[in-house]
C-alpha cells in the first residue's frame, strides 16, 4: 500500500515543486524551474549542486567538470589538480574498477579467481561494486594470508588458499618484507633503484600449485561456471597463466599487471605477456596505468583487462 508520504510527494509537482527521490526516506525538494545535479558519494551521502541551464558550475575553490556526453560530472577540489601524476593514477584506478565491474556483469561472471590477493583489497572492492558471485583468493605470504582469512571469514562465498600459483606444483622462496610487493622473483637493477624497500628482504618457503589442478575445487557447485582470472603477482602473472594449461579456455576474461619497465628479474616485458594472453583467445578491453615515474612521466606498469569476445552472452 502506498504511504501518505509517497502520495504527498506525487502531488508536489502540481504545486510547482519538483521532488527527486534519492532513497527510502530521503528526497531533494526544489522549485520546478531550478536545476540541480545529484551525485552519490556513498551509501548514505549525496552531493547536491545547483547548475545553470544544466551546465556544471564553479564554486569556492573547486570545479565541476562535465565528462563528455556521458552525463557524469566530476567534482574536483582545486588542490587536486596540483599533482597531475597522483590525479591521473587515482582516476585510472577508479576507471579500471568500474570497467572490471561492467565486464563481470556483461559476461555474467560467477567466479573470480583472485591470484595475489594480499589482504583482500580487490575482493572487498568487488563486493562494494555489487559483485555477488564466488571469489577464490590465493595469497602465499603467511602473515598476509592471516589477514586475508580474517577478511573473508564473514563472506560465505569467498574462499581463500595459503599458497601461490605457478607453472608447476613445487616449493619456492618468496621474497617478503616489501609491504604489498612480495614476489617469487628478485628485484631488477631498475627495481632496486626505484624502491628502497628492495635493499633488504627476507624469504619464506611457500607451496606453489598449478591453476588447472585446483579448478575443479574452485568451481565446485557452480552449474554454469563463468570464471574470471585476476593476477597481481609482482612479475609472476605469466607463470600463473601457464599453470592453467588447457583450462584457460574456461575463463571468460582476465586481468594482469603488465610491466613496461620491469621491477623484477625474469619478469616478461609487456609485449610478451599480452601476446601470450592474445594467443589464449583474449582481447584487450582496457589498459590503466598503475604506477608512473614522477620525474619522466613514463608508465611503469599497466592493469590490462582482457575478455574472450566469443564468450560474451550477446555473441
Amino acid at each position: 500500500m502506498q504511504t501518505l508520504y509517497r502520495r504527498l510527494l506525487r502531488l508536489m509537482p502540481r504545486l510547482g515543486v519538483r521532488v527527486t527521490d534519492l532513497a527510502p526516506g530521503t528526497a531533494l525538494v526544489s522549485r520546478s524551474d531550478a536545476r540541480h545535479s545529484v551525485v552519490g558519494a556513498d551509501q548514505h551521502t549525496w552531493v547536491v549542486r545547483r547548475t545553470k541551464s544544466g551546465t556544471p558550475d564553479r564554486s569556492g575553490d573547486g570545479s565541476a567538470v562535465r565528462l563528455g556526453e556521458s552525463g557524469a560530472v566530476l567534482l574536483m577540489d582545486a588542490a587536486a589538480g596540483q599533482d597531475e601524476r597522483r590525479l591521473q593514477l587515482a582516476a585510472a584506478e577508479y576507471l579500471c574498477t568500474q570497467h572490471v565491474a561492467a565486464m563481470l556483469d556483461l559476461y555474467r561472471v560467477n567466479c573470480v579467481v583472485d591470484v595475489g590477493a594480499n589482504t583482500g583489497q580487490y575482493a572487498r572492492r568487488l563486493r562494494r561494486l555489487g559483485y555477488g558471485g564466488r571469489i577464490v583468493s590465493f595469497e602465499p605470504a603467511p602473515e598476509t594470508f592471516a589477514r586475508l582469512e580474517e577478511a573473508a571469514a564473514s563472506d560465505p562465498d569467498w574462499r581463500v588458499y595459503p599458497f601461490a600459483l605457478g607453472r608447476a606444483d613445487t616449493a619456492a622462496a618468496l621474497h617478503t618484507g616489501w609491504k604489498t610487493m612480495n614476489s617469487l622473483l628478485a628485484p631488477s637493477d631498475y627495481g632496486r633503484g626505484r624502491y628502497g624497500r628492495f635493499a633488504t628482504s627476507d624469504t619464506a618457503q611457500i607451496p606453489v600449485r598449478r591453476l588447472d589442478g585446483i579448478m575443479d575445487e574452485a568451481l565446485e557447485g557452480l552449474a554454469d561456471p563463468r570464471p574470471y582470472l585476476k593476477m597481481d603477482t609482482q612479475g609472476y602473472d605469466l607463470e600463473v597463466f601457464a599453470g592453467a594449461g588447457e583450462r584457460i579456455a574456461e575463463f571468460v576474461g582476465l586481468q594482469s599487471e603488465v610491466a613496461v619497465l620491469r621491477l623484477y628479474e625474469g619478469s616478461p616485458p609487456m609485449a610478451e605477456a599480452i601476446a601470450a594472453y592474445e594467443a589464449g583467445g583474449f582481447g584487450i578491453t582496457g589498459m590503466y596505468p598503475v604506477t608512473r615515474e614522477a620525474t619522466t612521466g613514463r608508465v611503469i606498469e599497466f592493469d590490462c583487462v582482457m575478455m574472450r569476445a566469443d564468450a560474451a552472452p550477446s555473441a
Side-chain angles (χ1 to χ4, degrees):
M1 178 181 295
Q2 193 178 53
T3 64
L4 175 61
Y5 169 75
R6 290 290 171 183
R7 289 200 296 270
L8 288 173
L9 288 183
R10 290 172 64 88
L11 291 173
M12 297 295 273
R14 301 181 185 179
L15 304 177
V17 175
R18 187 175 68 181
V19 178
T20 303
D21 200 6
L22 300 179
T26 308
L28 167 68
V29 180
S30 60
R31 294 194 309 274
S32 292
D33 61 346
R35 298 193 179 191
H36 295 78
S37 62
V38 181
V39 181
D42 59 35
Q43 186 177 359
H44 304 292
T45 307
W46 295 266
V47 177
V48 181
R49 303 194 65 175
R50 186 169 182 174
T51 64
K52 297 178 180 179
S53 302
T55 302
D57 70 336
R58 293 181 62 90
S59 59
D61 294 328
S63 63
V65 182
R66 185 186 299 279
L67 300 180
E69 300 300 321
S70 67
V73 175
L74 173 66
L75 303 181
M76 187 171 69
D77 188 276
Q82 294 177 5
D83 187 341
E84 182 271 346
R85 182 174 64 99
R86 182 174 297 179
L87 173 63
Q88 291 285 342
L89 292 179
E93 181 180 21
Y94 172 79
L95 292 173
C96 182
T97 57
Q98 294 296 314
H99 175 63
V100 168
M103 292 298 99
L104 297 185
D105 182 60
L106 175 64
Y107 283 77
R108 300 175 187 171
V109 169
N110 55 12
C111 181
V112 173
V113 177
D114 174 20
V115 187
N118 198 252
T119 59
Q121 302 95 314
Y122 185 85
R124 290 195 297 270
R125 188 179 301 134
L126 289 185
R127 291 297 193 226
R128 288 196 299 269
L129 289 169
Y131 172 72
R134 179 173 300 172
I135 301 173
V136 183
S137 295
F138 299 88
E139 173 51 52
E143 292 184 6
T144 307
F145 177 78
R147 296 174 60 189
L148 172 66
E149 191 173 35
E150 182 180 357
S154 60
D155 190 326
D157 213 9
W158 182 3
R159 305 177 181 185
V160 296
Y161 293 90
F163 51 80
L165 296 183
R167 186 181 295 266
D169 292 332
T170 185
L174 179 73
H175 297 272
T176 63
W178 299 336
K179 298 181 181 178
T180 62
M181 299 175 69
N182 301 328
S183 178
L184 286 163
L185 302 175
S188 65
D189 290 342
Y190 174 78
R192 282 189 289 270
R194 176 169 176 78
Y195 291 110
R197 70 186 73 169
F198 286 159
T200 59
S201 69
D202 296 321
T203 59
Q205 284 294 118
I206 57 145
V208 181
R209 299 275 302 277
R210 282 179 59 91
L211 178 53
D212 57 9
I214 55 90
M215 285 284 288
D216 288 341
E217 184 176 344
L219 302 177
E220 182 183 11
L222 296 177
D224 179 23
R226 297 183 62 82
Y228 175 87
L229 176 61
K230 169 265 179 181
M231 299 174 287
D232 182 4
T233 61
Q234 305 304 314
Y236 214 67
D237 288 10
L238 204 53
E239 297 296 299
V240 175
F241 182 83
E246 293 183 358
R247 299 199 68 171
I248 197 64
E250 299 176 32
F251 286 87
V252 301
L254 65 81
Q255 180 176 347
S256 174
E257 198 169 80
V258 295
V260 182
L261 302 172
R262 288 184 286 179
L263 297 172
Y264 304 96
E265 289 291 346
S267 64
M270 181 175 70
E272 179 182 333
I274 291 177
Y277 302 147
E278 288 178 335
F282 301 92
I284 296 174
T285 62
M287 292 279 286
Y288 304 91
V290 177
T291 49
R292 285 169 54 192
E293 288 184 331
T295 53
T296 68
R298 292 188 301 176
V299 173
I300 298 171
E301 294 169 311
F302 282 100
D303 257 333
C304 179
V305 181
M306 307 182 77
M307 306 302 294
R308 192 183 296 281
D310 58 9
S314 59

